[in-house]
Amino acid sequence: MGKPKKSKRQKAMRQKQLQYQEDSYAKAPHSFVFNRGHVGKNILHLIKDLRRVMEPFTARNLKARKKNALKDFVNVAGVLNVTHFLMFSKTEIATNLRVVRIPRGPTITFKIHKYCLCRDVISSLRKPNLEQKQFQYHPLLVMNNFSGDEMHTKLLSSMFQNMFPSINVNKVDLNNIRRCVLLSYDPETKLIEFRHYNIKVVPVGMTRGVKKLIKTTVPDMSKFEDISEYIKQGGNLSESEAELDGPDNEVVLPQRISSRGNIKATKSAIRMTELGPRLTLQLVKIEDGLCDGNIMYHDFIKKTDEELQKQKKMRDSKRNLKELRKKIQNDNVRKKEAAKEEHKQKSLAGMKKENQDEGEDEEEIDDADYYKQEVGVEPEPELFSGTNSKRKHRSESEGPPKKKIRESKPLDGNTKKNERTDSKFDKNRNFKVKDTDKKSKGKSGFNKKGKLFKGQKRTDKKFKQKR
């Protein structure tokens, strides 16, 4: 039997859900994480780890080449709904991270004091959680000590909040919250600690052995006579493996969680396992535009109002000069295109006129008119009185008459034909050869006086009779 067909209502609900998912995906903030310039292998690994943090709303396999400029990424960002750039760069002094809001800024530059890769964090854990399904959902953002009244602190908090999708507390599904990103700001040192954790919910109020029984895997109880011994001994749990739960991490679940033992309105404990990477950041400066605007805040350099005004005037003059040069360049390009088009039209008109002149018949004029046209003086009446010949008029575009070539005797550039010398001299070989056209000489004989001679042998009858 085939599968039962879905009703119209089921198809409509399915289509509505797909449309809602597409809309929510398009509204979510997307990001690009890439490097600018040569950064080294460790920073490239850090870029890959940070892409895992920003999943699923990031380009996982983005490739940034040397020839790619920043404007190339900006042009693509609008089509892919990208809202933020995270750019890593390395200098002789330090490694920097720039967070850019697309398309008009601002740009926040951080100095990376310390960092630790995911592989280093996972290698230090006894039981790391590497479930791949947790990266299908975006992380939960947790911020600490970002409640200052300073402008740069407020700008930092708004920038970090807009990098991750917002959450509606009343409608959120707890099963989709699998990871969290922690950002902690220290006002004294002015450093920001970046951490990435996995979130797990376990039931509270039961022993270790009961928790193992709840799981899908059945524990080894071959050493016990009864299951009660297993439960009382805590499932062979040592003191170093004890998990201490307290009021700090215990909550009452508002809805049911998919894992076993976590029921609605019951108390459960939240366990967090670090996934990495770790970053220690320091705010350096905040720019107004896209990496080239006014500096709104700088941690190292403080300028007066007069210096800021002077810097603004200099930047405006450079911008106006750039716009003027661009305008002049566009005008020159338009003039060249217009001149090129005009030359093309003139060439086509000349070719058309030439074709028309070739198609016309040659005009015939009298000898008197031809004489007047060539000499410029009226001919005498007796000069062309007896003749009534006509001359063919040739247009000036055709030029002088061409010399006709006889087709019966084709020219050959290698040999020069001469009847008198061809038989004795070959130009190609450049030496004399025997003449094969003449008749071969006869055998030597005797003349009338009995002398020996060399010549053609006579065969006439009188010569034979005399001999």
Tab-separated table of all heavy atoms in Angstrom, residues 35-68:
chain	number	residue	atom	x	y	z
A	35	ASN	N	39.854	36.695	7.300
A	35	ASN	CA	41.100	37.381	7.644
A	35	ASN	C	41.459	38.378	6.559
A	35	ASN	O	41.044	38.247	5.400
A	35	ASN	CB	42.240	36.381	7.813
A	35	ASN	CG	42.534	35.614	6.532
A	35	ASN	OD1	41.690	34.856	6.055
A	35	ASN	ND2	43.708	35.801	5.963
A	36	ARG	N	42.262	39.365	6.936
A	36	ARG	CA	42.782	40.359	6.000
A	36	ARG	C	44.298	40.331	6.096
A	36	ARG	O	44.882	40.635	7.142
A	36	ARG	CB	42.268	41.769	6.343
A	36	ARG	CG	40.765	41.897	6.365
A	36	ARG	CD	40.141	41.574	5.025
A	36	ARG	NE	40.564	42.514	4.014
A	36	ARG	CZ	40.591	42.251	2.732
A	36	ARG	NH1	40.265	41.043	2.295
A	36	ARG	NH2	40.961	43.164	1.869
A	37	GLY	N	44.937	39.906	5.007
A	37	GLY	CA	46.386	39.787	4.998
A	37	GLY	C	46.851	38.467	5.588
A	37	GLY	O	46.067	37.563	5.898
A	38	HIS	N	48.150	38.369	5.754
A	38	HIS	CA	48.765	37.148	6.299
A	38	HIS	C	48.634	37.149	7.821
A	38	HIS	O	49.017	38.101	8.496
A	38	HIS	CB	50.236	37.079	5.898
A	38	HIS	CG	50.939	35.860	6.417
A	38	HIS	ND1	50.700	34.584	5.929
A	38	HIS	CD2	51.868	35.716	7.404
A	38	HIS	CE1	51.447	33.714	6.577
A	38	HIS	NE2	52.163	34.373	7.478
A	39	VAL	N	48.068	36.059	8.363
A	39	VAL	CA	47.823	35.977	9.805
A	39	VAL	C	48.464	34.754	10.454
A	39	VAL	O	48.598	34.708	11.678
A	39	VAL	CB	46.309	35.978	10.096
A	39	VAL	CG1	45.695	37.306	9.749
A	39	VAL	CG2	45.605	34.849	9.353
A	40	GLY	N	48.829	33.750	9.713
A	40	GLY	CA	49.434	32.552	10.294
A	40	GLY	C	48.435	31.420	10.484
A	40	GLY	O	47.218	31.603	10.401
A	41	LYS	N	48.958	30.231	10.763
A	41	LYS	CA	48.112	29.039	10.868
A	41	LYS	C	47.222	29.060	12.102
A	41	LYS	O	46.052	28.651	12.053
A	41	LYS	CB	48.995	27.785	10.901
A	41	LYS	CG	49.730	27.512	9.597
A	41	LYS	CD	50.519	26.218	9.685
A	41	LYS	CE	51.227	25.926	8.367
A	41	LYS	NZ	52.014	24.670	8.434
A	42	ASN	N	47.740	29.527	13.233
A	42	ASN	CA	46.945	29.512	14.457
A	42	ASN	C	45.727	30.430	14.346
A	42	ASN	O	44.631	30.088	14.805
A	42	ASN	CB	47.814	29.938	15.649
A	42	ASN	CG	48.875	28.903	15.976
A	42	ASN	OD1	48.687	27.710	15.739
A	42	ASN	ND2	50.001	29.346	16.508
A	43	ILE	N	45.896	31.594	13.724
A	43	ILE	CA	44.752	32.505	13.560
A	43	ILE	C	43.748	31.922	12.576
A	43	ILE	O	42.530	32.107	12.736
A	43	ILE	CB	45.242	33.889	13.101
A	43	ILE	CG1	46.214	34.471	14.124
A	43	ILE	CG2	44.079	34.842	12.911
A	43	ILE	CD1	45.617	34.699	15.489
A	44	LEU	N	44.214	31.187	11.583
A	44	LEU	CA	43.283	30.530	10.660
A	44	LEU	C	42.446	29.477	11.389
A	44	LEU	O	41.241	29.333	11.129
A	44	LEU	CB	44.055	29.893	9.503
A	44	LEU	CG	44.738	30.865	8.533
A	44	LEU	CD1	45.528	30.093	7.492
A	44	LEU	CD2	43.720	31.776	7.866
A	45	HIS	N	43.069	28.737	12.319
A	45	HIS	CA	42.299	27.790	13.135
A	45	HIS	C	41.315	28.533	14.040
A	45	HIS	O	40.193	28.061	14.256
A	45	HIS	CB	43.258	26.941	13.973
A	45	HIS	CG	43.985	25.895	13.192
A	45	HIS	ND1	43.341	24.850	12.551
A	45	HIS	CD2	45.314	25.723	12.939
A	45	HIS	CE1	44.229	24.088	11.938
A	45	HIS	NE2	45.430	24.597	12.156
A	46	LEU	N	41.715	29.673	14.557
A	46	LEU	CA	40.819	30.471	15.397
A	46	LEU	C	39.625	30.980	14.599
A	46	LEU	O	38.494	31.047	15.115
A	46	LEU	CB	41.600	31.646	16.004
A	46	LEU	CG	40.825	32.569	16.943
A	46	LEU	CD1	40.295	31.809	18.153
A	46	LEU	CD2	41.706	33.741	17.379
A	47	ILE	N	39.846	31.315	13.333
A	47	ILE	CA	38.741	31.765	12.471
A	47	ILE	C	37.727	30.637	12.277
A	47	ILE	O	36.515	30.846	12.347
A	47	ILE	CB	39.307	32.253	11.124
A	47	ILE	CG1	40.066	33.567	11.315
A	47	ILE	CG2	38.200	32.430	10.097
A	47	ILE	CD1	40.820	34.025	10.093
A	48	LYS	N	38.220	29.419	12.055
A	48	LYS	CA	37.309	28.279	11.903
A	48	LYS	C	36.523	28.011	13.185
A	48	LYS	O	35.325	27.686	13.143
A	48	LYS	CB	38.107	27.039	11.499
A	48	LYS	CG	38.713	27.121	10.104
A	48	LYS	CD	39.470	25.843	9.758
A	48	LYS	CE	40.073	25.938	8.368
A	48	LYS	NZ	40.828	24.694	8.011
A	49	ASP	N	37.191	28.148	14.330
A	49	ASP	CA	36.493	27.936	15.604
A	49	ASP	C	35.426	28.989	15.837
A	49	ASP	O	34.331	28.684	16.327
A	49	ASP	CB	37.504	27.952	16.748
A	49	ASP	CG	38.490	26.795	16.690
A	49	ASP	OD1	38.180	25.813	15.983
A	49	ASP	OD2	39.557	26.876	17.325
A	50	LEU	N	35.713	30.226	15.466
A	50	LEU	CA	34.723	31.291	15.658
A	50	LEU	C	33.548	31.132	14.702
A	50	LEU	O	32.419	31.524	15.022
A	50	LEU	CB	35.390	32.651	15.464
A	50	LEU	CG	34.646	33.859	16.037
A	50	LEU	CD1	34.423	33.688	17.526
A	50	LEU	CD2	35.406	35.147	15.756
A	51	ARG	N	33.788	30.557	13.531
A	51	ARG	CA	32.674	30.261	12.627
A	51	ARG	C	31.751	29.208	13.227
A	51	ARG	O	30.530	29.273	13.043
A	51	ARG	CB	33.217	29.778	11.277
A	51	ARG	CG	33.839	30.873	10.428
A	51	ARG	CD	34.423	30.309	9.151
A	51	ARG	NE	35.084	31.336	8.361
A	51	ARG	CZ	35.779	31.085	7.250
A	51	ARG	NH1	35.910	29.831	6.808
A	51	ARG	NH2	36.359	32.081	6.584
A	52	ARG	N	32.328	28.247	13.948
A	52	ARG	CA	31.486	27.248	14.631
A	52	ARG	C	30.631	27.902	15.710
A	52	ARG	O	29.503	27.489	15.953
A	52	ARG	CB	32.393	26.184	15.250
A	52	ARG	CG	33.154	25.348	14.256
A	52	ARG	CD	32.308	24.295	13.610
A	52	ARG	NE	32.046	23.185	14.528
A	52	ARG	CZ	31.240	22.173	14.231
A	52	ARG	NH1	30.612	22.137	13.079
A	52	ARG	NH2	31.061	21.202	15.110
A	53	VAL	N	31.169	28.929	16.356
A	53	VAL	CA	30.391	29.635	17.374
A	53	VAL	C	29.214	30.365	16.740
A	53	VAL	O	28.097	30.361	17.289
A	53	VAL	CB	31.302	30.628	18.137
A	53	VAL	CG1	30.483	31.456	19.130
A	53	VAL	CG2	32.411	29.892	18.861
A	54	MET	N	29.422	30.983	15.572
A	54	MET	CA	28.393	31.802	14.936
A	54	MET	C	27.404	30.981	14.105
A	54	MET	O	26.496	31.564	13.495
A	54	MET	CB	29.046	32.846	14.033
A	54	MET	CG	30.063	33.737	14.725
A	54	MET	SD	29.384	34.674	16.097
A	54	MET	CE	28.251	35.742	15.255
A	55	GLU	N	27.558	29.674	14.047
A	55	GLU	CA	26.614	28.861	13.278
A	55	GLU	C	25.240	28.896	13.931
A	55	GLU	O	25.126	29.100	15.146
A	55	GLU	CB	27.122	27.410	13.202
A	55	GLU	CG	28.250	27.209	12.215
A	55	GLU	CD	28.587	25.735	12.037
A	55	GLU	OE1	27.852	24.890	12.566
A	55	GLU	OE2	29.586	25.441	11.378
A	56	PRO	N	24.165	28.705	13.128
A	56	PRO	CA	24.130	28.363	11.699
A	56	PRO	C	24.036	29.574	10.772
A	56	PRO	O	23.918	29.414	9.564
A	56	PRO	CB	22.849	27.532	11.596
A	56	PRO	CG	21.950	28.144	12.597
A	56	PRO	CD	22.825	28.616	13.734
A	57	PHE	N	24.109	30.798	11.318
A	57	PHE	CA	23.922	32.000	10.505
A	57	PHE	C	25.262	32.603	10.116
A	57	PHE	O	25.513	33.788	10.336
A	57	PHE	CB	23.077	33.024	11.280
A	57	PHE	CG	21.739	32.507	11.699
A	57	PHE	CD1	21.443	32.314	13.036
A	57	PHE	CD2	20.773	32.186	10.765
A	57	PHE	CE1	20.211	31.834	13.431
A	57	PHE	CE2	19.544	31.699	11.152
A	57	PHE	CZ	19.257	31.515	12.480
A	58	THR	N	26.124	31.810	9.539
A	58	THR	CA	27.416	32.282	9.060
A	58	THR	C	27.850	31.420	7.882
A	58	THR	O	27.304	30.338	7.640
A	58	THR	CB	28.465	32.233	10.184
A	58	THR	OG1	29.657	32.872	9.728
A	58	THR	CG2	28.793	30.803	10.566
A	59	ALA	N	28.831	31.932	7.122
A	59	ALA	CA	29.398	31.194	5.989
A	59	ALA	C	30.498	30.286	6.504
A	59	ALA	O	31.595	30.757	6.835
A	59	ALA	CB	29.920	32.159	4.932
A	60	ARG	N	30.214	28.989	6.595
A	60	ARG	CA	31.170	28.051	7.193
A	60	ARG	C	32.397	27.853	6.325
A	60	ARG	O	33.516	27.764	6.838
A	60	ARG	CB	30.478	26.704	7.420
A	60	ARG	CG	31.349	25.679	8.127
A	60	ARG	CD	30.700	24.301	8.108
A	60	ARG	NE	29.396	24.310	8.725
A	60	ARG	CZ	28.572	23.254	8.749
A	60	ARG	NH1	28.952	22.123	8.166
A	60	ARG	NH2	27.404	23.337	9.331
A	61	ASN	N	32.218	27.799	5.002
A	61	ASN	CA	33.333	27.503	4.093
A	61	ASN	C	33.747	28.727	3.276
A	61	ASN	O	34.129	28.610	2.108
A	61	ASN	CB	32.936	26.361	3.144
A	61	ASN	CG	32.625	25.078	3.887
A	61	ASN	OD1	33.287	24.751	4.866
A	61	ASN	ND2	31.611	24.357	3.445
A	62	LEU	N	33.664	29.899	3.877
A	62	LEU	CA	34.056	31.121	3.176
A	62	LEU	C	35.566	31.126	2.945
A	62	LEU	O	36.343	30.838	3.855
A	62	LEU	CB	33.643	32.345	3.994
A	62	LEU	CG	34.005	33.712	3.398
A	62	LEU	CD1	33.255	33.949	2.105
A	62	LEU	CD2	33.723	34.816	4.401
A	63	LYS	N	35.978	31.490	1.701
A	63	LYS	CA	37.393	31.539	1.348
A	63	LYS	C	37.747	32.972	0.960
A	63	LYS	O	37.188	33.522	0.015
A	63	LYS	CB	37.701	30.590	0.179
A	63	LYS	CG	37.527	29.122	0.532
A	63	LYS	CD	37.888	28.225	-0.631
A	63	LYS	CE	37.715	26.754	-0.253
A	63	LYS	NZ	38.045	25.857	-1.383
A	64	ALA	N	38.662	33.554	1.712
A	64	ALA	CA	39.133	34.918	1.451
A	64	ALA	C	40.516	34.844	0.835
A	64	ALA	O	41.460	34.355	1.464
A	64	ALA	CB	39.155	35.728	2.740
A	65	ARG	N	40.653	35.331	-0.403
A	65	ARG	CA	41.935	35.306	-1.101
A	65	ARG	C	42.621	36.675	-1.025
A	65	ARG	O	42.006	37.666	-0.624
A	65	ARG	CB	41.729	34.896	-2.562
A	65	ARG	CG	41.215	33.463	-2.705
A	65	ARG	CD	41.010	33.106	-4.163
A	65	ARG	NE	40.676	31.714	-4.337
A	65	ARG	CZ	39.446	31.209	-4.261
A	65	ARG	NH1	38.427	32.016	-3.999
A	65	ARG	NH2	39.216	29.924	-4.437
A	66	LYS	N	43.857	36.712	-1.447
A	66	LYS	CA	44.625	37.951	-1.369
A	66	LYS	C	44.047	39.020	-2.286
A	66	LYS	O	44.071	40.208	-1.966
A	66	LYS	CB	46.091	37.682	-1.756
A	66	LYS	CG	46.837	36.810	-0.752
A	66	LYS	CD	48.284	36.627	-1.189
A	66	LYS	CE	49.041	35.743	-0.191
A	66	LYS	NZ	50.450	35.532	-0.624
A	67	LYS	N	43.550	38.630	-3.442
A	67	LYS	CA	43.062	39.608	-4.400
A	67	LYS	C	41.675	40.150	-4.041
A	67	LYS	O	41.220	41.115	-4.667
A	67	LYS	CB	43.021	38.983	-5.802
A	67	LYS	CG	42.080	37.794	-5.923
A	67	LYS	CD	42.117	37.224	-7.320
A	67	LYS	CE	41.180	36.024	-7.462
A	67	LYS	NZ	41.231	35.459	-8.816
A	68	ASN	N	40.991	39.564	-3.068
A	68	ASN	CA	39.667	40.038	-2.665
A	68	ASN	C	39.806	41.308	-1.837
A	68	ASN	O	40.512	41.325	-0.819
A	68	ASN	CB	38.930	38.972	-1.853
A	68	ASN	CG	38.592	37.747	-2.678
A	68	ASN	OD1	38.846	36.622	-2.281
A	68	ASN	ND2	38.015	37.958	-3.852
